[in-house]
Every structure is written in C-alpha cells, then in structure tokens.
Amino acid sequence: MRRQIWCSALFMVVLATSLSAQSSNAIVSGRVIDPSGAVIPGATISIQNKNTNVAQTTKSNSEGLYSLTGLIPGTYRLAVNLDGFKRFEQPNILL
C-alpha cells in the first residue's frame, strides 16, 4: 500500500521594479509532509505553466522544504512525486 504525500505550499507574487521597466515574478514554496505530519525529504516537486508548458523542477530538502522561483504570472500545475508515495497534484494554481 502506498502512503500519501501531502504538500503545503505558500504562493507569493514578488514585484520587482527597475528604472526602465516593471516586471513581476512569482515564487512557490512549501513543505512536503505525510499524513502524520512527518517531513518528506528528497521528493521531486515540479510546476508547469499550463499556457506555455514551461516547467521547473526541484527537490525537497532534509526539512521537506522547497522553493520554485522566477515564475511568470499564469496558471500552473504542481506535482509532487516520491517512490513509495501516492503522487500529489494540484492542477490549477493561479499566480
């Protein structure tokens, strides 16, 4: 039986300005845990822009934490995978 993997995520939009132009980037960060609240290190977290299909991937650290930066505003699909765990997916994240 595969254990469940959960993902708590904090979605932030960070605005950066310069003298010649204004740009905005989003950051998605969070912690990967199991149903008992134990942290899950080494999980693969991927996020894909649903409009452009551009994807970014990272792994959770020893405390289960991860961060995906430099994301352009849009709608994303977030997935978390680790062998022995059921895949977690959040299909419509608006940044």
Side-chain angles (χ1 to χ4, degrees):
M1 185 167 157
R2 300 182 92 178
R3 299 186 304 180
Q4 267 190 322
I5 196 168
W6 290 12
C7 181
S8 63
L10 171 64
F11 308 105
M12 302 185 304
V13 176
V14 179
L15 299 177
T17 59
S18 67
L19 293 176
S20 60
Q22 180 175 345
S23 65
S24 60
N25 291 310
I27 298 169
V28 174
S29 60
R31 175 172 276 168
V32 182
I33 58 173
D34 71 11
S36 72
V39 299
I40 306 295
T44 300
I45 300 95
S46 43
I47 195 161
Q48 181 179 25
N49 185 306
K50 293 177 79 172
N51 298 321
T52 66
N53 289 324
V54 172
Q56 194 177 131
T57 301
T58 192
K59 290 205 179 263
S60 57
N61 68 15
S62 61
E63 297 175 2
L65 300 172
Y66 68 90
S67 183
L68 297 154
T69 62
L71 304 168
I72 62 170
T75 302
Y76 287 81
R77 175 183 8 256
L78 178 80
V80 182
N81 291 299
L82 184 65
D83 287 343
F85 288 87
K86 182 179 175 186
R87 175 185 170 95
F88 172 88
E89 189 169 315
Q90 182 68 42
N92 292 304
I93 298 171
L94 182 60
L95 301 178

